[in-house]
Each structure stands twice: as C-alpha cells, then as structure tokens.
Amino acid sequence: MIMNKYIKNSLWLLVEKVVSILGALFITIYTARYLGPEKMGNINYAMALGAIAVPISQLGSQTLIFDKTAKSRKTGIFLLVATSKIRFSIFLIVSLLIVLSQYLMGNEDGLLILSFILLSCFFTSQDAYKPFFDATFQSKKNSIAAQVGLFSALVSRLGLVYSSASLVFFTLPYIMHTAIPFFIRKKWFAKETNEYSFPQRKIRRYRSFASSAGVPLTLSSLSIILYVKVGQLILGSQVGLHDVGLYNAASTLAQGWLFLPVTIITVGLAKVIGDGESKEIGFSFISFLILIISSIIASFFVFFNNEIIQLTYGTEFKGAADSLIILSISSVFSALGTVSYRMIIHYGGYTFLMKKMLIMAVFNIGLSFYLIGEYGLYGAALAVLITEFLSSTLFNYPFKSGLVLSIHARCIFSLNYLRLKN
C-alpha cells in the first residue's frame, strides 16, 4: 500500500513535469520562431532580471517547506503560512529596485515588458503550495493546476501569433502560466487546512525560524540564479539582445529534459529522507541514477545539436548549435548538483551552502565577463559548464569532512539500496 502511494505520486509528478516542460518548450519555440532572436531576447533579458527577485523573496521557503512537510505535515503548514507575508513584502521591494535600476540605466523602452514579466515572477515567488503537495504525496493536484495554467498560456500564445500581436502582449501568457496554478493550489490548500488555527505566537516562532534558516538558502539560491542568468545579462549589455535570444534557445533545449531527473530526485528524496537508516547509500543510489540517465539524454543533444536547432527554432537560431553542446553537458552536472544540494540541506548545511554559492557566484560572474568578452555566446555557455562542474563536485566535497565525496565515490556500489529496501 505504501509503495503504491509512492508509485502514484511519482507518476503524477512525471505527468506534471512532462506536460509542463514539453508544453513550455512548444510554446516557447513556437513564439521564438515568430518573434525572432532579437525580440525574443528582449523578453529573455526581462526574465533573467525577474528571476533574481524570485529566490530572494522565497527566502528558501521552497526547500524548507518540502523538507519539513516530509517529516511533519503540521510543521509544513505552519511554516508555509508564516512565510507568506515575508515573501510578498520582499518581492515588492526587490521588484521596485530592479525597475528603478533599469530606468537609471536608460532602458526605458523595456520597462513595460519588464513590469509584466515581474508580475509573472510574483506568482512563482508566492507559490509555496507546490512543495507542500509534493511532500504530502499529492502531486496530482500540482499536475492538474500546472496543466490548466499551461493550456491557458498555450492557447493565448497561439492566438497572439495568429493575430500578429505586438511584442508587449506576448508577456501576458507568462502571467497566465504562473497565476492560474497559484490560485488553484491556494484554494486547495485552504480547504485542507481550514480546521487549523494559526495563533500569532506560533506564527512568529516559525517566521523567526524561516528567517534564520532561510537567509543562507536565499543567498545560495540567488547565487545559483546569478550564475545561470548572468550570461544573459552580460550578453545583453555587452553583445546585444540577438545573442541573448540565441543563448536562451540553447539553454531552453539543454535544460528541457531536466524534468526527468528532477522528478526522480523529488520522489526519491521524499523516500530517502524518511528512512531511519541507510540514508547515505540512498543518496548515493539517487546520484548514480541521475548521472546515468542525464548522461544518456545529454549525449543525444551533443551529437545531433544542429539537427535539433533546425527542427525546433529554425534557421534564424542556427548560431545556438555550438552552445547547445556545452549547455547540455552542463545540465548533467546541474542535475547531479541538485541531489547534493538537497542532501546538504537535509544535514543542516545552510551556512555551508551560503558560503559556497556566494563564492561560486562571484567566480562565475568574473569568469563570464572574461569568457563572453573573448568568445561571446560560446563563452557564456562555457562559463556555465565550468561553474556547474565545480559547484556539483569539488566545491561540495569539504562539507562534513567529505560526505558528498564519499557518497559520489560509492555511487556504483549503491545498487544495494534496492536490495536493502526490498
């Protein structure tokens, strides 16, 4: 019965990821073919700026809520409620600062597009219901909500292309894509928790915990966003929005298949975290599984990069083919790093992650400036690969006297985990 629960939850997670990612890929590619690299780069640049506001305002709540809910449903509920006003306030302040910075830099033409993209990011930053439902094995609800939002965005984009709408209107589907699932999940969460009362004393205590534990997570998450998005920002300011469009095309394809390892990680860790024993071999098993699956998928993009770009984005985006090779390989290390990240969180390594990711962010920004200055678009992709490799391996190994190194070293022997669980 318990295993059946895991299987059902895994299937719904997989359905959500497949539909969401493939649907998003389709509408992104379809829109990009219509708008072209330059106009699409304008939207991508705004999205890169908006992505900075999300991890800051979330204050690490996504990871904290999943981890705490997996151990205690009631704790997860109180934590989610306690952090809602914090997320709202921080996002508002950060968004205003981003808009003001772009105005002072003279980017007045893109302010309207940026404002709409920030609105779509707002709902992402406030949606702490998704990790709650994942941790309580209710991924079916997340899947349904995501599909409704995705279908609405898909229909609206098709309509915009058909009617030859102007660029600013193409930001509206991004808002629908995030707002609709948010309101659906919020309503379901309210129904599940209507019997709870939330006294201010408890709320303050959970809010205090979230703030102390969330700051290191926020800094580490922000650092991840910076070294993923900094390439687009530097390309936009130093090279031009055309190359931003090409970079985003390669990045979208290179990361489009990550839903599969992410699903395995989410489901697998919910099981491993609940184990009283054999946790470390469980982490090794998930790492090994992720590494094998990711490498196989990435190989397909490496060997058929030109054909994939031509088939999806079209001739205008052929300049993204070489970057697709590099970014596909970097996605393998990104997936592996996700397992290590969640494992370090489980062992309370918030401060370690904060320090490590700040170092990685500074390293990547300097590396990106140099490589983009030397090699342009290809340099942006190369900077991501080098950073992802170091972040998922060498810079994780000092944690707990080499715990991550030990887990990676034992990956090939971790198949015993299945025998132990059986």
Side-chain angles (χ1 to χ4, degrees):
M1 183 66 70
I2 294 177
M3 186 56 68
N4 190 39
K5 180 176 67 173
Y6 283 112
I7 293 173
K8 284 184 178 180
N9 192 64
S10 303
L11 289 175
W12 277 110
L13 263 174
L14 187 59
V15 168
E16 179 207 344
K17 296 298 181 182
V18 169
V19 173
S20 298
I21 298 299
L22 293 184
L25 273 174
F26 174 77
I27 56 181
T28 299
I29 291 169
Y30 186 73
T31 304
R33 289 178 74 105
Y34 169 74
L35 293 176
E38 184 78 22
K39 290 182 178 179
M40 198 66 200
N42 201 321
I43 292 179
N44 297 147
Y45 186 79
M47 290 181 68
L49 288 170
I52 295 174
V54 174
I56 297 176
S57 59
Q58 284 179 335
L59 203 64
S61 59
Q62 300 293 96
T63 302
L64 284 174
I65 289 169
F66 178 87
D67 193 56
K68 297 303 179 184
T69 304
K71 298 174 183 176
S72 168
R73 182 176 180 273
K74 186 176 181 180
T75 300
I77 291 171
F78 273 89
L79 192 59
L80 193 156
V81 173
T83 55
S84 59
K85 288 185 179 179
I86 298 178
R87 293 194 301 272
F88 178 86
S89 301
I90 295 176
F91 186 88
L92 184 62
I93 294 170
V94 174
S95 296
L96 290 174
L97 290 175
I98 290 174
V99 172
L100 179 61
S101 68
Q102 291 302 297
Y103 176 78
L104 294 176
M105 290 172 61
N107 188 21
E108 297 179 21
D109 294 338
L111 287 183
L112 186 58
I113 290 175
L114 175 60
S115 298
F116 282 122
I117 292 298
L118 283 171
L119 181 57
S120 72
C121 292
F122 166 77
F123 294 108
T124 301
S125 70
Q126 304 306 299
D127 195 352
Y129 309 109
K130 186 179 185 302
F132 171 80
F133 287 126
D134 281 342
T136 54
F137 303 100
Q138 299 183 77
S139 296
K140 177 180 180 180
K141 292 181 177 179
N142 283 333
S143 179
I144 293 172
Q147 290 176 50
V148 172
L150 179 63
F151 181 77
S152 302
L154 172 60
V155 172
S156 63
R157 281 188 183 175
L158 292 175
L160 290 170
V161 172
Y162 181 77
S163 60
S164 301
S166 60
L167 177 61
V168 68
F169 288 102
F170 279 89
T171 61
L172 299 180
Y174 289 96
I175 299 174
M176 297 172 67
H177 195 186
T178 57
I180 292 174
F182 167 78
F183 285 113
I184 292 175
R185 291 180 184 126
K186 183 178 181 180
K187 183 177 180 180
W188 282 335
F189 179 79
K191 285 184 177 180
E192 280 210 12
T193 58
N194 56 12
E195 77 276 12
Y196 286 92
S197 61
F198 301 99
Q200 285 302 309
R201 179 177 54 82
K202 278 193 173 182
I203 292 296
R204 284 194 295 270
R205 189 169 75 245
Y206 279 95
R207 193 172 291 162
S208 175
F209 164 75
S211 299
S212 59
V215 170
L217 287 174
T218 299
L219 292 174
S220 61
S221 297
L222 178 61
S223 301
I224 293 172
I225 291 295
L226 285 176
Y227 75 64
V228 169
K229 297 295 184 180
V230 73
Q232 296 183 41
L233 297 175
I234 296 174
L235 276 173
S237 60
Q238 289 193 358
V239 183
L241 294 176
H242 180 274
D243 276 31
V244 175
L246 294 179
Y247 178 90
N248 187 259
S251 180
T252 300
L253 291 172
Q255 298 176 5
W257 50 269
L258 283 174
F259 70 89
L260 183 56
V262 167
T263 301
I264 295 171
I265 292 168
T266 302
V267 176
L269 289 185
K271 181 68 176 69
V272 170
I273 288 173
D275 283 343
E277 301 176 353
S278 66
K279 285 184 181 180
E280 291 186 17
I281 192 172
F283 283 121
S284 291
F285 175 71
I286 294 175
S287 298
F288 178 71
L289 198 60
I290 293 304
L291 189 60
I292 296 299
I293 293 173
S294 300
S295 298
I296 292 172
I297 299 174
S299 298
F300 178 77
F301 286 85
V302 169
F303 291 116
F304 301 100
N305 58 313
N306 284 293
E307 291 82 358
I308 291 172
I309 290 290
Q310 183 67 37
L311 181 65
T312 53
Y313 284 90
T315 305
E316 278 192 275
F317 288 84
K318 64 181 180 180
D322 289 339
S323 297
L324 178 59
I325 296 175
I326 302 300
L327 291 173
S328 296
I329 298 172
S330 73
S331 290
V332 176
F333 294 107
S334 176
L336 182 64
T338 301
V339 183
S340 300
Y341 174 84
R342 298 297 295 273
M343 182 194 69
I344 293 171
I345 291 296
H346 175 70
Y347 286 105
Y350 306 119
T351 303
F352 173 84
L353 283 175
M354 177 186 68
K355 294 177 180 178
K356 172 211 150 182
M357 296 314 302
L358 282 174
I359 293 172
M360 293 308 305
V362 172
F363 171 79
N364 178 255
I365 290 172
L367 185 65
S368 295
F369 269 110
Y370 172 74
L371 291 177
I372 290 173
E374 291 290 322
Y375 306 107
L377 175 62
Y378 189 80
L382 194 59
V384 172
L385 172 59
I386 294 172
T387 306
E388 290 286 10
F389 169 73
L390 293 175
S391 179
S392 62
T393 55
L394 298 181
F395 279 78
N396 275 334
Y397 291 161
F399 179 69
K400 279 192 176 295
S401 303
L403 177 62
V404 178
L405 174 60
S406 174
I407 285 173
H408 284 177
R410 291 185 296 171
C411 275
I412 198 167
F413 305 107
S414 62
L415 292 177
N416 285 333
Y417 182 71
L418 291 177
R419 182 177 59 80
L420 288 172
K421 292 299 99 182
N422 289 329

